[in-house]
Amino acid sequence: MVNITKWFLLGATLVSMAVIFVSALIPVAYQQALVNLLVGELAALTLAHSTYRVSSGKQVSPTAAAIAILSGVVLFLSPILIEPVDPILSVMFATGAVVTIGGLVGVLGRFLGGEEGRQTGAERISSRAGN
């Protein structure tokens, strides 16, 4: 479960980083560009923090997971509320869903991770090797 959580959080971090640059590729309203920049950056920071914590044998911070979920919902709903232009609508639906699911995976990893979720990567490798 730890590896799944770690890799999914890493993927969600990369997606949230890509959201920051979407406005440079697709012409959108100023307000949408600002939401992409600010909320995308916040999501990237919290998901990267969660990825680091999972990779170093700690559980995901509940605050970081909540911020990631909220950021994903805002990214998902922003084009509907600001300017529903077809390309940005599809992109933001997909990226908002990935960021939201990244936060939810962090929450699930916190509750279902068990003892393995509290070990560092080196400890997990060592225990699998029989040492």
Side-chain angles (χ1 to χ4, degrees):
M1 179 70 183
V2 172
N3 283 332
I4 293 170
T5 304
K6 176 177 60 177
W7 288 109
F8 198 87
L9 286 171
L10 179 63
T13 301
L14 295 175
V15 166
S16 62
M17 288 170 53
V19 165
I20 298 168
F21 301 104
V22 165
S23 303
L25 303 174
I26 300 173
V28 295
Y30 172 75
Q31 296 87 350
Q32 183 66 51
L34 195 58
V35 167
N36 288 1
L37 177 67
L38 296 175
V39 177
E41 186 176 355
L42 183 63
L45 287 170
T46 57
L47 288 166
H49 178 261
S50 298
T51 305
Y52 166 74
R53 287 184 60 93
V54 169
S55 297
S56 63
K58 299 174 183 160
Q59 292 182 331
V60 173
S61 164
T63 305
I67 291 172
I69 292 169
L70 183 63
S71 297
V73 170
V74 168
L75 289 173
F76 187 84
L77 295 177
S78 66
I80 295 172
L81 301 174
I82 295 172
E83 182 186 32
V85 180
D86 186 40
I88 194 69
L89 194 63
S90 302
V91 169
M92 295 311 293
F93 277 178
T95 57
V98 169
V99 171
T100 303
I101 292 170
L104 292 172
V105 165
V107 171
L108 285 176
R110 183 171 176 84
F111 289 112
L112 301 177
E115 183 59 35
E116 184 182 12
R118 288 181 281 283
Q119 294 177 337
T120 63
E123 289 171 336
R124 283 194 296 273
I125 292 170
S126 174
S127 67
R128 289 183 189 150
N131 295 335

